[in-house]
Amino acid sequence: MKEYIMALDQGTTSSRCILFDKSGNICSMAQKEFTQIYPQPGWVEHNPKEIISTQFEVARMAMRKIYATAENICSIGITNQRETTVVWNKNTGEPVYNAIVWQCRRSADRIKGMDETVKEAIRNKTGLVPDAYFSASKIEWILDNVEGARQMAQNGELLFGTIDTWIVWNLTKGKLHITDYTNASRTMLFDINRLCWDNELLEYFHVPQSMLPTVVSSSDVYGVTDKEILGDEIVISGIAGDQQAALFGQCCFEEGDAKNTYGTGCFLLINTGDKRIESKHGLVTTLAAGTNADKPQYALEGSVFIGGAAIQWLRDEMKLIDNAADSLICARAVDDTAGVYIVPAFTGLGAPYWKPYCKGTVTGITRGCTKNHFVRATLESVAYHSNDLIKAMKEDAAGGINSLRVDGGACANDFLMQFQADISETTVVRPSCIETTALGAAYLAGLATGYYESTQDIRMNASVNKSFIPAMEKDKRQELLSGWDKAINCALSY
Ligand code: ADP
């Protein structure tokens, strides 16, 4: 009778629901965008209630589309935009403020003003590079700036949650206040060595312990939905932050397995097994999604701020292409970039450079440079920058990278994927199902209930759409990479 696993995929711009069958095929999907709120430059908020209403609505829509009822849903897995922070009243369920989104920079000065010893403690305990991006300073901001919030928090009347926590709390009508390891590891309050909330950091950010959710494994039977929400009770049994869910959905279960998501930005994660590796190149350490609560796996993570967004820029601002897919035709129309390099550091550079204020740069233009060269150089930049992270990961994780699994909108571009394989000297594998984030949440949920017996069972589902084998000669690669290094140095010197 039970045929599907429901993945609730709560993203930054939309709420989605996918129903998967046992083989990992998409049987139904529904998606709804919600409002982005920009109260001031650099501030980003969401309405927590709209997050819930859109998420529940798409769940019902996805079921309706294929005439599924609660009886047909084996269990629910949740994956979510990470770090985004909600604080609500425990008794009424009313949020005391909008959700402060991961992109929001409102607490950047707070982080900038911290002394080096605290920053060092944060790096050691949480594996993160101290930043306003993570939840800690967002919670503090709400308690300090919303009238009465601090007092209520001290009285034990407020709860904090990342979006997974907020969804589960609403799905269970307040019965469960939980988060999983992957989400906890992005709050900047969780000790990833001892696997517990860290009292010193809680004190430092003035966050009362009573607000915090219980931390659970990413795959376990946590409870059931309230029966009014989806027609009957449904088991909730998987939770993971979006990037860790994608790592799991890509079957990166073993040490050395890595994935890169080519979306607006690129997110590269490598599973480092049960070892916490401290990066020497500015990558962050984070907890990966796994099925063993006592022995979680670790990952190294790095991101490229402008990935597919560079292609959007070619389309929307430069008006060089009509749609993203045309970039492939332009790139293939020429043999190379005629020496042109583009570093699209529109919002500064992240790992391994960490130069937040540098700007985009174009180098090597000569009279013969055409639109096609320019487009090709932009596509190549996505691969070069991802390669900087791959190189850092290869150096940090002594075992190197087994192969690079890819997903996200821009992985559809064969030119980009082949160039990535060539420049990184790593095989790039594109799976048939590129909805890996939702798939990861579904797999975690299915493993907890016995729908899948083991990760081996899941591996059987993994089918490859295309593999890209490195084919560039070493000298050529060195020559191209040295051009990229020069271009990066120009951007860094801005
Ligand atoms: P997000 O989840 O961050 O919104 P998606 O995974 O949906 O992103 O991917 C969208 C991004 O991928 C856009 O920035 C777009 O420019 C880029 N993109 C989509 N198709 C292609 C393509 N064929 N070639 C290059 N880039 C592409």
Side-chain angles (χ1 to χ4, degrees), residues 56-112:
F56 287 6
E57 191 182 335
V58 293
R60 293 180 194 119
M61 274 161 68
M63 288 166 74
R64 256 198 322 270
K65 274 187 183 173
I66 53 167
Y67 307 103
T69 65
E71 278 198 318
N72 303 118
I73 311 293
C74 168
S75 63
I76 297 178
I78 295 163
T79 179
N80 56 290
Q81 51 167 322
R82 302 177 301 174
E83 297 103 15
T84 298
T85 296
V86 188
V87 175
W88 68 95
N89 183 314
K90 188 178 178 172
N91 303 311
T92 64
E94 283 295 312
V96 301
Y97 192 76
N98 273 337
I100 301 186
V101 178
W102 56 274
Q103 298 151 324
C104 187
R105 304 303 301 165
R106 79 184 63 199
S107 48
D109 286 346
R110 165 73 168 114
I111 303 292
K112 213 168 156 194

Side-chain angles (χ1 to χ4, degrees), residues 12-13 16 261-267 307-313 315-316 321 323-328 379 382 407-414 416 434:
T12 309
T13 54
R16 301 200 310 151
T261 299
Y262 297 80
T264 307
C266 297
F267 286 89
I311 313 306
Q312 278 168 341
W313 170 73
R315 185 193 62 189
D316 301 340
I321 49 176
N323 57 62
D326 283 354
S327 61
L328 176 114
L379 270 178
V382 180
D407 50 50
C411 89
N413 191 310
D414 281 11
L416 174 60
I434 59 170

Side-chain angles (χ1 to χ4, degrees), residues 58-285:
V58 293
R60 293 180 194 119
M61 274 161 68
M63 288 166 74
R64 256 198 322 270
K65 274 187 183 173
I66 53 167
Y67 307 103
T69 65
E71 278 198 318
N72 303 118
I73 311 293
C74 168
S75 63
I76 297 178
I78 295 163
T79 179
N80 56 290
Q81 51 167 322
R82 302 177 301 174
E83 297 103 15
T84 298
T85 296
V86 188
V87 175
W88 68 95
N89 183 314
K90 188 178 178 172
N91 303 311
T92 64
E94 283 295 312
V96 301
Y97 192 76
N98 273 337
I100 301 186
V101 178
W102 56 274
Q103 298 151 324
C104 187
R105 304 303 301 165
R106 79 184 63 199
S107 48
D109 286 346
R110 165 73 168 114
I111 303 292
K112 213 168 156 194
M114 290 181 347
D115 26 283
E116 203 36 56
T117 48
V118 179
K119 289 188 177 168
E120 188 56 27
I122 289 177
R123 279 191 279 267
N124 289 338
K125 289 166 190 267
T126 70
L128 304 172
V129 175
D131 199 276
Y133 178 78
F134 306 109
S135 315
S137 61
K138 300 184 195 292
I139 309 174
E140 187 183 43
W141 188 94
I142 292 177
L143 297 188
D144 285 346
N145 290 277
V146 175
E147 207 185 321
R150 167 81 47 207
Q151 190 57 51
M152 286 177 80
Q154 264 147 13
N155 297 344
E157 293 169 65
L158 297 187
L159 298 178
F160 151 74
T162 39
I163 296 299
D164 54 311
T165 308
W166 176 236
I167 290 176
V168 174
W169 200 83
N170 279 280
L171 276 175
T172 60
K173 293 220 170 144
K175 286 207 180 72
L176 286 180
H177 184 227
I178 56 173
T179 190
D180 83 306
Y181 284 120
T182 65
N183 278 293
S185 73
R186 314 294 297 183
T187 58
M188 216 162 78
L189 297 170
F190 193 74
D191 185 325
I192 62 167
N193 309 305
R194 295 182 301 129
L195 302 175
C196 59
W197 297 113
D198 185 81
N199 286 333
E200 257 176 44
L201 293 177
L202 292 177
E203 255 172 55
Y204 183 79
F205 286 104
H206 309 106
V207 176
Q209 178 103 35
S210 60
M211 294 179 75
L212 300 173
T214 305
V215 185
V216 296
S217 157
S218 302
S219 175
D220 202 352
V221 175
Y222 316 118
V224 293
T225 59
D226 184 278
K227 57 175 178 288
E228 279 175 22
I229 293 167
L230 297 170
D232 205 346
E233 293 180 346
I234 303 177
V235 168
I236 309 168
S237 55
I239 304 176
D242 52 11
Q243 296 310 322
Q244 287 96 330
L247 190 70
F248 201 82
Q250 287 272 24
C251 300
C252 292
F253 307 136
E254 306 295 332
E255 189 175 333
D257 289 347
K259 70 95 195 169
N260 195 10
T261 299
Y262 297 80
T264 307
C266 297
F267 286 89
L268 189 56
L269 272 81
I270 180 170
N271 183 327
T272 61
D274 55 12
K275 285 194 292 289
R276 174 188 171 174
I277 290 178
E278 278 173 53
S279 173
K280 295 191 179 64
H281 302 91
L283 303 171
V284 302
T285 312

Side-chain angles (χ1 to χ4, degrees), residues 44 100 119 184 228 244 268 272 329 372 389 415 418 421 426:
V44 192
I100 301 186
K119 289 188 177 168
E228 279 175 22
Q244 287 96 330
L268 189 56
T272 61
I329 300 166
N372 291 338
L389 295 175
F415 169 80
Q418 184 60 50
T426 300

